[in-house]
């Protein structure tokens, strides 16, 4: 199989190397903060225990090291220890927002230049110099964009200059529109969850006050999007996608039945799919599980599912306590933005296909 190094991983390796060198140089810095360390430990333990049942020890061990261990170290533990001020964090978010605007522009261009299957227009990633750096399909594109939406909202609220606020508002609306126009069902659900929580916590009174005037506009805006989604679901593309998803769920349940407690080995689900000749006859190429639950159940069993959702709950609880303490301050809005961004991606992962990678 062809191997490649994702851009995010390459950057993560460089940052991790620099961090380790700094720790070695500065020997006085001995303490490393590990948020919900017990939960991280249990999750990695459950992944390690699954190796007892794996049919490919080398591949499963590699999977435990990357993405699981690598992700938690580089994208959880390292930022917690290295981002030391609100100013630093806001600057990083500005840089992320610029990247997010690039995603929006790419999505708009893709509607104009990309050939759409079955004449159903949808946003898809574009190749850059012949390579799909942002993923090869609409789901991968949508998942990344979901994480940017709360950041646009943050700057639309904290920027003091009126026309800057309006500009960020336009960016936010455009981002939501592009995310919905991927016609990714997971993206629609994630946007709904993000918008619902934001509405309840920040705009409840305004919504109640203006609901009679706003709901007709809201539903009118959903009509063309609903028409596109309905056409997709009833098309051959939609039928095959649903059939594929159901087949993968059945394979996941079959493997889980054989190894219910600690699973059949981390990173092995794709090999089980590749070994199913009926799946290959119907769909041609083996695909990984659609959704985190159907990835964890066959690979890491009940222990993996419980430890993953326990770890996720621990992370969100830590963040929520900080948000409640800061209340409606700028810092509180900042923390809520990060919370909502992570939650949106997490919700997407319940139905999506990249599984904490």
């Amino acid at each position: 199989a062809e191997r490649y190094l994702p851009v995010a991983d390459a950057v993560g390796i460089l940052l991790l190397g620099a961090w380790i060198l700094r720790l070695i140089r500065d020997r006085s810095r001995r303490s490393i903060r590990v948020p919900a360390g017990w939960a991280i430990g249990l999750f990695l333990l459950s992944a390690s225990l699954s190796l007892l049942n794996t049919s490919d020890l080398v591949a499963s061990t590699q999977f435990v090291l990357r993405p699981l261990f690598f992700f938690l170290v580089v994208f959880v533990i390292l930022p917690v220890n290295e981002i030391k001020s609100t100013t630093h964090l806001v600057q990083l978010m500005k840089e992320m927002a610029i990247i997010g605007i690039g995603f929006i522009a790419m999505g708009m261009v893709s509607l104009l230049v990309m050939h759409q299957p079955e004449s159903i227009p949808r946003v898809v990633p574009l190749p850059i110099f012949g390579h799909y750096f942002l993923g090869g399909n609409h789901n991968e594109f949508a998942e990344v964009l979901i994480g940017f939406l709360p950041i646009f909202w943050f700057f639309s609220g904290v920027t003091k200059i009126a026309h800057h606020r309006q500009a960020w508002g336009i960016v936010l609306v455009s981002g939501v529109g592009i995310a919905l126009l991927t016609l990714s069902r997971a993206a629609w659900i994630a946007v709904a969850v993000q918008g619902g929580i934001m509405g309840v916590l920040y705009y409840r009174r305004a919504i109640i006050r203006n609901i009679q005037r706003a709901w007709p506009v809201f539903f009118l805006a959903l009509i063309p999007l609903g028409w596109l989604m309905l056409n997709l679901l009833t098309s051959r593309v939609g039928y095959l996608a649903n059939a594929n998803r159901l087949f993968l769920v059945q394979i996941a349940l079959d493997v889980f039945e054989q190894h219910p407690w600690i699973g059949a080995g981390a990173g092995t689900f794709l090999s089980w799919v590749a070994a199913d000749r009926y799946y290959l006859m119907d769909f041609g190429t083996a695909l990984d599980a659609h959704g985190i639950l159907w990835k964890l159940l066959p690979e890491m069993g009940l222990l993996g599912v419980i430890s993953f959702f326990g770890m996720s709950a621990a992370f969100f609880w830590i963040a929520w306590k900080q948000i409640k303490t800061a209340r409606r301050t700028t810092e509180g809005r900042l923390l809520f933005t990060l919370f909502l961004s992570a939650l949106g991606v997490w919700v997407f992962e319940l139905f999506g296909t990249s599984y904490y990678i």
Side-chain angles (χ1 to χ4, degrees):
E2 182 182 356
R3 295 184 180 274
Y4 68 98
L5 180 65
V7 175
D9 282 21
V11 174
I13 290 171
L14 292 175
L15 291 174
L16 180 61
W19 184 49
I20 292 173
L21 289 175
R22 182 183 297 180
L23 290 175
I24 294 173
R25 185 189 63 186
D26 186 4
R27 296 183 180 181
S28 62
R29 284 181 55 183
R30 296 178 181 273
S31 61
I32 298 176
R33 290 179 294 166
V34 181
W38 61 271
I40 292 176
L42 285 176
F43 177 66
L44 292 176
L45 175 62
S46 68
S48 300
L49 288 174
S50 75
L51 301 182
L52 296 174
N53 287 335
T54 184
S55 58
D56 190 337
L57 183 59
V58 173
S60 291
T61 302
Q62 290 176 344
F63 191 87
V64 172
L65 294 176
R66 191 278 167 191
L68 305 188
F69 180 78
F70 179 82
F71 173 87
L72 290 167
V73 171
V74 173
F75 299 110
V76 177
I77 297 173
L78 192 154
V80 166
N81 286 272
E82 288 301 301
I83 300 176
K84 300 180 177 63
S85 69
T86 300
T87 303
H88 186 193
L89 182 55
V90 170
Q91 182 58 41
L92 291 174
M93 289 174 61
K94 287 180 181 178
E95 296 169 5
M96 292 178 65
I98 293 172
I99 298 173
I101 292 172
F103 267 73
I104 293 173
M106 176 180 286
M108 292 178 175
V109 173
S110 77
L111 287 172
L112 301 175
V113 303
M114 292 295 286
H115 171 70
Q116 304 294 333
E118 309 248 346
S119 300
I120 301 171
R122 74 190 319 169
V123 169
V124 293
L126 296 176
I128 301 175
F129 302 114
H131 297 280
Y132 287 90
F133 293 104
L134 305 180
N137 64 53
H138 62 288
N139 281 313
E140 292 172 321
F141 183 91
E143 181 178 1
V144 178
L145 186 55
I146 290 296
F148 288 124
L149 298 181
I151 297 175
F152 301 148
W153 170 78
F154 172 79
F155 287 114
S156 71
V158 301
T159 304
K160 296 181 180 179
I161 302 174
H163 64 273
H164 286 183
R165 286 200 303 271
Q166 294 171 354
W168 280 114
I170 292 172
V171 170
L172 173 59
V173 172
S174 300
V176 172
I178 292 298
L180 296 179
L181 284 172
T182 61
L183 299 185
S184 164
R185 288 167 287 185
W188 282 41
I189 295 170
V191 168
V193 171
Q194 287 178 323
I197 294 175
M198 187 185 299
V200 169
L201 295 182
Y202 276 85
Y203 304 107
R204 181 170 60 250
R205 293 180 181 177
I207 291 172
I208 294 174
R209 187 168 58 248
N210 298 294
I211 190 169
Q212 290 185 342
R213 289 180 295 178
W215 74 263
V217 177
F218 175 77
F219 282 106
L220 283 174
L222 284 181
I223 288 176
L225 289 171
W227 178 82
L228 288 172
M229 180 62 79
L230 180 63
N231 274 270
L232 175 65
L233 294 177
T234 56
S235 69
R236 176 171 173 78
V237 173
Y239 170 79
L240 290 175
N242 290 332
N244 178 63
R245 186 181 294 267
L246 290 173
F247 207 132
L248 290 173
V249 168
Q250 185 58 57
I251 294 174
L253 292 174
D254 290 343
V255 178
F256 169 69
E257 187 176 355
Q258 297 178 49
H259 305 282
W261 300 110
I262 60 174
T268 60
F269 182 72
L270 195 59
S271 65
W272 286 88
V273 178
D276 192 310
R277 61 189 181 94
Y278 296 107
Y279 179 90
L280 297 180
M281 288 172 57
D282 287 344
F283 302 103
T285 303
L287 296 176
D288 218 329
H290 282 269
I292 190 67
L293 177 63
W294 309 115
K295 179 73 170 176
L296 289 170
L297 268 180
E299 292 190 354
M300 294 165 57
L302 283 175
L303 183 59
V305 171
I306 294 170
S307 63
F308 176 81
F309 283 94
M311 179 179 66
S312 300
F315 287 156
F316 286 125
W317 177 245
I318 291 171
W320 187 249
K321 287 195 298 183
Q322 295 295 321
I323 293 169
K324 289 181 66 176
T325 301
R327 297 181 182 273
R328 287 183 175 268
T329 63
T330 300
E331 183 180 354
R333 189 182 181 99
L334 174 61
L335 292 172
F336 180 70
T337 296
L338 299 175
F339 173 86
L340 209 58
S341 180
L343 180 63
V345 174
W346 188 89
V347 169
F348 193 102
E349 287 292 319
L350 294 177
F351 311 95
T353 55
S354 62
Y355 333 110
Y356 40 69
I357 297 179

